[in-house]
Amino acid sequence: MLTSQEFTAIYFRLQDISDNWADLWLFINQFPVAISRIINLKYTDVEGKYILFPCRRRFCEKKLLISYIALNILKRRKLRYPEDIYIFQSHSNRVKHQKKPVTMIAFNQALKKASTGITKKSISSKWGGGEFISYK
């Protein structure tokens, strides 16, 4: 597990790389679901105070209450990127004129870069669902 200081330091480094990565880093810690489900979320999956994780492959549909932190991220991202379909939509030149979510590969690369020098622990997108922080 990461300490709260490590988690926060990685967050600020991710902000320097991309607001997408920093927001995703916070967001995945808010929900006990696989990262692939979060990356593929669309704004249409938000229903008031709830977020609906649609049935996908081996995962059943799941409806969860949106935390205050996640709600702020959703509002901020919608204001910044009003044309986006996906909550974590890619804005890279690779998909310039397409509406596609970010990739786990790119996120893991950003995490590796951001965590260098902060922790010797292996950090990846597989961490999540409230498992990041140790308050020791």
Side-chain angles (χ1 to χ4, degrees):
M1 281 201 248
L2 290 176
T3 66
S4 56
Q5 290 86 5
E6 290 169 329
F7 182 89
T8 303
I10 292 169
Y11 170 77
F12 284 115
R13 285 226 184 132
L14 286 170
Q15 270 190 325
D16 291 340
I17 298 169
S18 165
D19 65 323
N20 251 352
W21 303 140
D23 287 345
L24 184 54
W25 179 243
L26 288 178
F27 207 83
I28 63 176
N29 194 45
Q30 301 298 306
F31 297 101
V33 297
I35 181 76
S36 61
R37 296 186 85 177
I38 291 174
I39 285 175
N40 286 294
L41 280 173
K42 297 179 180 180
Y43 284 103
T44 55
D45 296 325
V46 177
E47 300 174 350
K49 294 182 181 182
Y50 292 91
I51 201 159
L52 180 67
F53 293 89
C55 197
R56 240 180 133 232
R57 293 184 211 133
R58 64 185 172 109
F59 298 115
C60 295
E61 184 178 283
K62 199 173 210 178
K63 189 174 187 176
L64 297 172
L65 187 63
I66 301 172
S67 69
Y68 178 76
I69 293 169
L71 188 59
N72 283 336
I73 291 169
L74 289 169
K75 287 178 182 178
R76 184 175 64 243
R77 294 192 62 75
K78 191 62 178 168
L79 282 172
R80 180 175 274 169
Y81 305 107
E83 302 298 318
D84 283 4
I85 293 171
Y86 292 94
I87 295 169
F88 296 101
Q89 190 162 308
S90 180
H91 298 112
S92 73
N93 289 334
R94 168 183 71 78
V95 292
K96 194 180 253 181
H97 302 293
Q98 301 172 27
K99 306 280 186 187
K100 289 190 173 187
V102 297
T103 66
M104 276 195 289
I105 293 169
F107 181 52
N108 282 326
Q109 288 172 341
L111 275 176
K112 186 175 182 178
K113 183 178 178 182
S115 65
T116 301
I118 292 174
T119 183
K120 293 188 188 294
K121 298 167 190 150
S122 180
I123 308 299
S124 78
S125 61
K126 297 292 183 202
W127 291 39
E131 298 172 4
F132 284 114
I133 302 173
S134 166
Y135 292 101
K136 293 179 183 174

